[in-house]
Amino acid sequence: MVLDLDIPVRVVSAPTLRESDGLALSSRNRYLSPRDRQRAAMLYGMLAEIASGLRQDTGGMAGLLERGRKRLAEAGFAVDYLEVRDAQTLAPLSSGPASDMRLLAAVRLGSTRLIDNVGV
């Protein structure tokens, strides 16, 4: 957006701050029940696993994403989205590996919506 609209700002990225079990730090985490808080760490683990598969180009993008969605759903997550996008444009990608990809996810555990992303 900054490039498209020629906005005179510099975007600086930073790593996501995480709990010791990998869950992204968020004020929303306090709304998780103790049981859901334990399960919530699975989200980052799944993202890391899929990202590794994408880097190694194992199983194909669609298959990796579908297995990830299925495993999250089986663990009690309601998956809003789990997608791979171009890291610069956020355009959808249907095959990989691309040079700069981002794996994006939004899920719900109970009434809490969790979002996370990892570089690929």
Side-chain angles (χ1 to χ4, degrees):
M1 188 170 88
V2 169
L3 293 175
D4 285 348
L5 299 177
D6 197 27
I7 299 172
V9 298
R10 191 173 105 220
V11 176
V12 179
S13 65
T16 301
L17 297 177
R18 298 187 179 279
E19 301 278 354
S20 61
D21 61 2
L23 181 63
L25 287 179
S26 172
S27 59
R28 294 180 225 181
N29 295 350
R30 69 178 177 221
Y31 299 119
L32 293 166
S33 71
R35 180 170 182 252
D36 285 344
R37 173 58 188 85
Q38 262 189 316
R39 288 189 298 165
M42 182 183 173
L43 176 60
Y44 176 68
M46 182 59 55
L47 291 175
E49 185 178 316
I50 293 169
S52 176
L54 290 168
R55 280 186 216 102
Q56 296 171 21
D57 199 21
T58 59
M61 184 180 293
L64 287 167
L65 293 172
E66 186 54 37
R67 281 191 298 281
R69 287 183 197 104
K70 182 179 177 184
R71 286 181 51 200
L72 288 168
E74 288 170 351
F77 292 81
V79 179
D80 290 342
Y81 60 81
L82 176 60
E83 300 179 2
V84 178
R85 298 289 180 120
D86 180 280
Q88 298 302 312
T89 66
L90 296 181
L93 297 172
S94 57
S95 64
S99 62
D100 197 12
M101 299 183 290
R102 204 99 199 138
L103 183 57
L104 311 170
V107 299
R108 293 182 190 276
L109 272 176
S111 62
T112 306
R113 188 169 194 249
L114 303 172
I115 58 173
D116 205 343
N117 72 94
V118 296
V120 179

